[in-house]
mmCIF file of all heavy atoms in Angstrom:
data_model
loop_
_atom_site.group_PDB
_atom_site.id
_atom_site.type_symbol
_atom_site.label_atom_id
_atom_site.label_comp_id
_atom_site.label_asym_id
_atom_site.label_seq_id
_atom_site.Cartn_x
_atom_site.Cartn_y
_atom_site.Cartn_z
ATOM 1 N N LEU A 153 101.575 93.382 114.707
ATOM 2 C CA LEU A 153 102.806 94.197 114.907
ATOM 3 C C LEU A 153 103.426 94.614 113.615
ATOM 4 O O LEU A 153 103.706 95.888 113.427
ATOM 5 C CB LEU A 153 103.792 93.405 115.754
ATOM 6 C CG LEU A 153 105.198 93.993 115.886
ATOM 7 C CD1 LEU A 153 105.145 95.340 116.563
ATOM 8 C CD2 LEU A 153 106.151 93.049 116.645
ATOM 9 N N PHE A 154 103.571 93.695 112.696
ATOM 10 C CA PHE A 154 104.133 94.031 111.420
ATOM 11 C C PHE A 154 103.260 95.018 110.585
ATOM 12 O O PHE A 154 103.755 95.943 109.941
ATOM 13 C CB PHE A 154 104.345 92.783 110.557
ATOM 14 C CG PHE A 154 105.284 91.825 111.171
ATOM 15 C CD1 PHE A 154 105.145 90.378 110.917
ATOM 16 C CD2 PHE A 154 106.338 92.176 112.010
ATOM 17 C CE1 PHE A 154 106.080 89.502 111.516
ATOM 18 C CE2 PHE A 154 107.267 91.298 112.609
ATOM 19 C CZ PHE A 154 107.056 89.932 112.343
ATOM 20 N N TRP A 155 101.945 94.868 110.678
ATOM 21 C CA TRP A 155 101.021 95.682 109.987
ATOM 22 C C TRP A 155 101.067 97.142 110.493
ATOM 23 O O TRP A 155 101.087 98.081 109.736
ATOM 24 C CB TRP A 155 99.569 95.125 110.092
ATOM 25 C CG TRP A 155 98.590 95.728 109.094
ATOM 26 C CD1 TRP A 155 98.837 96.648 108.110
ATOM 27 C CD2 TRP A 155 97.212 95.373 108.984
ATOM 28 N NE1 TRP A 155 97.693 96.905 107.411
ATOM 29 C CE2 TRP A 155 96.682 96.096 107.954
ATOM 30 C CE3 TRP A 155 96.364 94.499 109.752
ATOM 31 C CZ2 TRP A 155 95.323 96.061 107.584
ATOM 32 C CZ3 TRP A 155 95.064 94.425 109.375
ATOM 33 C CH2 TRP A 155 94.498 95.185 108.260
ATOM 34 N N ALA A 156 101.068 97.198 111.835
ATOM 35 C CA ALA A 156 101.187 98.529 112.442
ATOM 36 C C ALA A 156 102.522 99.252 112.111
ATOM 37 O O ALA A 156 102.489 100.447 111.805
ATOM 38 C CB ALA A 156 101.103 98.343 113.972
ATOM 39 N N ARG A 157 103.603 98.493 112.068
ATOM 40 C CA ARG A 157 104.920 99.089 111.681
ATOM 41 C C ARG A 157 104.808 99.637 110.271
ATOM 42 O O ARG A 157 105.185 100.735 110.025
ATOM 43 C CB ARG A 157 106.001 97.970 111.695
ATOM 44 C CG ARG A 157 106.559 97.715 113.086
ATOM 45 C CD ARG A 157 107.559 96.611 113.019
ATOM 46 N NE ARG A 157 108.055 96.150 114.289
ATOM 47 C CZ ARG A 157 108.812 95.025 114.403
ATOM 48 N NH1 ARG A 157 109.049 94.245 113.349
ATOM 49 N NH2 ARG A 157 109.287 94.668 115.629
ATOM 50 N N GLU A 158 104.269 98.807 109.322
ATOM 51 C CA GLU A 158 104.184 99.166 107.884
ATOM 52 C C GLU A 158 103.238 100.428 107.767
ATOM 53 O O GLU A 158 103.559 101.339 106.928
ATOM 54 C CB GLU A 158 103.637 98.030 107.041
ATOM 55 C CG GLU A 158 104.665 96.833 106.900
ATOM 56 C CD GLU A 158 105.943 97.229 106.279
ATOM 57 O OE1 GLU A 158 105.988 98.155 105.526
ATOM 58 O OE2 GLU A 158 106.976 96.544 106.549
ATOM 59 N N MET A 159 102.185 100.464 108.514
ATOM 60 C CA MET A 159 101.313 101.602 108.395
ATOM 61 C C MET A 159 101.938 102.892 108.982
ATOM 62 O O MET A 159 101.820 104.034 108.383
ATOM 63 C CB MET A 159 100.013 101.363 109.214
ATOM 64 C CG MET A 159 99.019 100.373 108.513
ATOM 65 S SD MET A 159 98.430 101.096 106.896
ATOM 66 C CE MET A 159 97.617 102.591 107.444
ATOM 67 N N ALA A 160 102.810 102.672 110.099
ATOM 68 C CA ALA A 160 103.468 103.893 110.677
ATOM 69 C C ALA A 160 104.471 104.490 109.773
ATOM 70 O O ALA A 160 104.649 105.694 109.802
ATOM 71 C CB ALA A 160 104.079 103.400 112.021
ATOM 72 N N LYS A 161 105.108 103.687 108.957
ATOM 73 C CA LYS A 161 106.101 104.256 108.062
ATOM 74 C C LYS A 161 105.693 104.496 106.667
ATOM 75 O O LYS A 161 106.425 104.827 105.822
ATOM 76 C CB LYS A 161 107.353 103.375 108.103
ATOM 77 C CG LYS A 161 107.179 101.971 107.539
ATOM 78 C CD LYS A 161 108.427 101.149 107.782
ATOM 79 C CE LYS A 161 108.334 99.726 107.067
ATOM 80 N NZ LYS A 161 109.476 98.905 107.430
ATOM 81 N N SER A 162 104.353 104.372 106.358
ATOM 82 C CA SER A 162 103.821 104.485 105.012
ATOM 83 C C SER A 162 103.823 105.932 104.584
ATOM 84 O O SER A 162 103.760 106.170 103.340
ATOM 85 C CB SER A 162 102.392 103.820 104.938
ATOM 86 O OG SER A 162 101.554 104.634 105.732
ATOM 87 N N GLY A 163 103.752 106.862 105.489
ATOM 88 C CA GLY A 163 103.660 108.246 105.055
ATOM 89 C C GLY A 163 102.301 108.653 104.573
ATOM 90 O O GLY A 163 102.138 109.758 104.005
ATOM 91 N N GLY A 164 101.340 107.716 104.707
ATOM 92 C CA GLY A 164 99.962 108.097 104.164
ATOM 93 C C GLY A 164 99.045 108.729 105.174
ATOM 94 O O GLY A 164 99.521 109.194 106.213
ATOM 95 N N ILE A 165 97.820 108.730 104.829
ATOM 96 C CA ILE A 165 96.698 109.491 105.606
ATOM 97 C C ILE A 165 96.711 108.928 107.036
ATOM 98 O O ILE A 165 96.543 109.606 108.027
ATOM 99 C CB ILE A 165 95.407 109.261 104.936
ATOM 100 C CG1 ILE A 165 95.383 109.700 103.460
ATOM 101 C CG2 ILE A 165 94.331 110.071 105.667
ATOM 102 C CD1 ILE A 165 94.266 109.294 102.708
ATOM 103 N N LEU A 166 96.856 107.625 107.193
ATOM 104 C CA LEU A 166 96.630 106.932 108.571
ATOM 105 C C LEU A 166 97.966 106.692 109.292
ATOM 106 O O LEU A 166 97.864 106.194 110.403
ATOM 107 C CB LEU A 166 95.905 105.636 108.290
ATOM 108 C CG LEU A 166 94.568 105.688 107.579
ATOM 109 C CD1 LEU A 166 94.072 104.271 107.383
ATOM 110 C CD2 LEU A 166 93.582 106.517 108.405
ATOM 111 N N SER A 167 99.113 107.057 108.678
ATOM 112 C CA SER A 167 100.347 106.620 109.325
ATOM 113 C C SER A 167 100.586 107.097 110.734
ATOM 114 O O SER A 167 101.010 106.408 111.563
ATOM 115 C CB SER A 167 101.504 107.065 108.468
ATOM 116 O OG SER A 167 101.592 108.548 108.295
ATOM 117 N N LYS A 168 100.172 108.384 111.072
ATOM 118 C CA LYS A 168 100.353 108.899 112.474
ATOM 119 C C LYS A 168 99.519 108.092 113.412
ATOM 120 O O LYS A 168 100.026 107.912 114.532
ATOM 121 C CB LYS A 168 99.919 110.391 112.392
ATOM 122 C CG LYS A 168 100.814 111.307 111.681
ATOM 123 C CD LYS A 168 102.162 111.487 112.424
ATOM 124 C CE LYS A 168 103.080 112.445 111.720
ATOM 125 N NZ LYS A 168 104.410 112.463 112.290
ATOM 126 N N ILE A 169 98.346 107.761 113.056
ATOM 127 C CA ILE A 169 97.527 106.956 113.928
ATOM 128 C C ILE A 169 98.165 105.694 114.440
ATOM 129 O O ILE A 169 97.999 105.238 115.533
ATOM 130 C CB ILE A 169 96.172 106.653 113.263
ATOM 131 C CG1 ILE A 169 95.448 107.879 112.882
ATOM 132 C CG2 ILE A 169 95.272 105.788 114.205
ATOM 133 C CD1 ILE A 169 94.212 107.717 112.062
ATOM 134 N N PHE A 170 98.930 105.044 113.450
ATOM 135 C CA PHE A 170 99.515 103.732 113.761
ATOM 136 C C PHE A 170 100.890 103.786 114.498
ATOM 137 O O PHE A 170 101.377 102.738 114.892
ATOM 138 C CB PHE A 170 99.600 102.918 112.539
ATOM 139 C CG PHE A 170 98.275 102.296 112.041
ATOM 140 C CD1 PHE A 170 97.372 103.040 111.319
ATOM 141 C CD2 PHE A 170 97.929 101.073 112.438
ATOM 142 C CE1 PHE A 170 96.219 102.516 110.933
ATOM 143 C CE2 PHE A 170 96.719 100.523 112.053
ATOM 144 C CZ PHE A 170 95.843 101.288 111.280
ATOM 145 N N GLU A 171 101.490 104.898 114.552
ATOM 146 C CA GLU A 171 102.804 105.061 115.244
ATOM 147 C C GLU A 171 102.704 104.638 116.700
ATOM 148 O O GLU A 171 103.581 103.786 117.166
ATOM 149 C CB GLU A 171 103.330 106.488 115.129
ATOM 150 C CG GLU A 171 103.948 106.773 113.780
ATOM 151 C CD GLU A 171 104.535 108.162 113.737
ATOM 152 O OE1 GLU A 171 104.715 108.798 114.878
ATOM 153 O OE2 GLU A 171 104.813 108.697 112.588
ATOM 154 N N ASN A 172 101.721 105.099 117.439
ATOM 155 C CA ASN A 172 101.565 104.738 118.841
ATOM 156 C C ASN A 172 101.233 103.294 118.936
ATOM 157 O O ASN A 172 101.742 102.637 119.876
ATOM 158 C CB ASN A 172 100.460 105.671 119.457
ATOM 159 C CG ASN A 172 100.906 107.089 119.690
ATOM 160 O OD1 ASN A 172 102.106 107.370 119.734
ATOM 161 N ND2 ASN A 172 99.933 107.908 119.781
ATOM 162 N N LEU A 173 100.441 102.704 118.059
ATOM 163 C CA LEU A 173 99.999 101.338 118.141
ATOM 164 C C LEU A 173 101.277 100.471 117.955
ATOM 165 O O LEU A 173 101.498 99.522 118.705
ATOM 166 C CB LEU A 173 98.979 100.984 117.065
ATOM 167 C CG LEU A 173 98.547 99.570 116.957
ATOM 168 C CD1 LEU A 173 97.949 99.028 118.275
ATOM 169 C CD2 LEU A 173 97.581 99.363 115.798
ATOM 170 N N ALA A 174 102.043 100.765 116.965
ATOM 171 C CA ALA A 174 103.333 100.017 116.650
ATOM 172 C C ALA A 174 104.221 100.048 117.904
ATOM 173 O O ALA A 174 104.799 99.038 118.277
ATOM 174 C CB ALA A 174 103.983 100.468 115.479
ATOM 175 N N ASN A 175 104.431 101.289 118.483
ATOM 176 C CA ASN A 175 105.306 101.404 119.642
ATOM 177 C C ASN A 175 104.794 100.606 120.846
ATOM 178 O O ASN A 175 105.573 99.930 121.548
ATOM 179 C CB ASN A 175 105.379 102.860 120.084
ATOM 180 C CG ASN A 175 106.175 103.699 118.986
ATOM 181 O OD1 ASN A 175 107.013 103.113 118.337
ATOM 182 N ND2 ASN A 175 105.926 104.996 118.924
ATOM 183 N N GLU A 176 103.467 100.638 121.095
ATOM 184 C CA GLU A 176 102.903 99.844 122.249
ATOM 185 C C GLU A 176 103.061 98.388 122.004
ATOM 186 O O GLU A 176 103.372 97.643 122.997
ATOM 187 C CB GLU A 176 101.422 100.205 122.388
ATOM 188 C CG GLU A 176 101.080 101.555 122.996
ATOM 189 C CD GLU A 176 101.534 101.635 124.381
ATOM 190 O OE1 GLU A 176 101.231 100.803 125.171
ATOM 191 O OE2 GLU A 176 102.169 102.695 124.711
ATOM 192 N N LEU A 177 102.845 97.850 120.845
ATOM 193 C CA LEU A 177 102.949 96.426 120.592
ATOM 194 C C LEU A 177 104.398 95.976 120.684
ATOM 195 O O LEU A 177 104.661 94.960 121.292
ATOM 196 C CB LEU A 177 102.462 96.060 119.139
ATOM 197 C CG LEU A 177 100.905 96.255 118.976
ATOM 198 C CD1 LEU A 177 100.541 96.062 117.484
ATOM 199 C CD2 LEU A 177 100.162 95.181 119.725
ATOM 200 N N GLU A 178 105.306 96.786 120.214
ATOM 201 C CA GLU A 178 106.810 96.454 120.254
ATOM 202 C C GLU A 178 107.207 96.378 121.701
ATOM 203 O O GLU A 178 107.908 95.504 122.178
ATOM 204 C CB GLU A 178 107.605 97.441 119.507
ATOM 205 C CG GLU A 178 107.459 97.233 117.957
ATOM 206 C CD GLU A 178 108.272 98.280 117.251
ATOM 207 O OE1 GLU A 178 108.812 99.272 117.818
ATOM 208 O OE2 GLU A 178 108.332 98.200 115.973
ATOM 209 N N LYS A 179 106.832 97.440 122.481
ATOM 210 C CA LYS A 179 107.240 97.560 123.908
ATOM 211 C C LYS A 179 106.653 96.418 124.780
ATOM 212 O O LYS A 179 107.294 95.988 125.715
ATOM 213 C CB LYS A 179 106.728 98.896 124.388
ATOM 214 C CG LYS A 179 107.125 99.244 125.833
ATOM 215 C CD LYS A 179 106.660 100.583 126.262
ATOM 216 C CE LYS A 179 105.057 100.668 126.325
ATOM 217 N NZ LYS A 179 104.608 101.976 126.844
ATOM 218 N N SER A 180 105.535 95.855 124.382
ATOM 219 C CA SER A 180 104.786 94.863 125.253
ATOM 220 C C SER A 180 104.953 93.522 124.746
ATOM 221 O O SER A 180 104.292 92.541 125.209
ATOM 222 C CB SER A 180 103.280 95.251 125.272
ATOM 223 O OG SER A 180 103.118 96.540 125.756
#
């Protein structure tokens, strides 16, 4: 969860991919 959050807000090449993952993990 923490890794997905950090990737989502990194603004890097992969950040968009991890936004949905972070949201799904937080929600569940």
Side-chain angles (χ1 to χ4, degrees):
L153 171 61
F154 298 152
W155 195 2
R157 280 178 185 168
E158 292 297 335
M159 285 298 297
K161 64 186 182 185
S162 68
I165 306 165
L166 303 174
S167 60
K168 289 289 182 186
I169 300 172
F170 281 86
E171 282 183 13
N172 287 337
L173 177 59
N175 290 335
E176 285 293 314
L177 291 172
E178 286 176 356
K179 183 177 69 177
S180 307

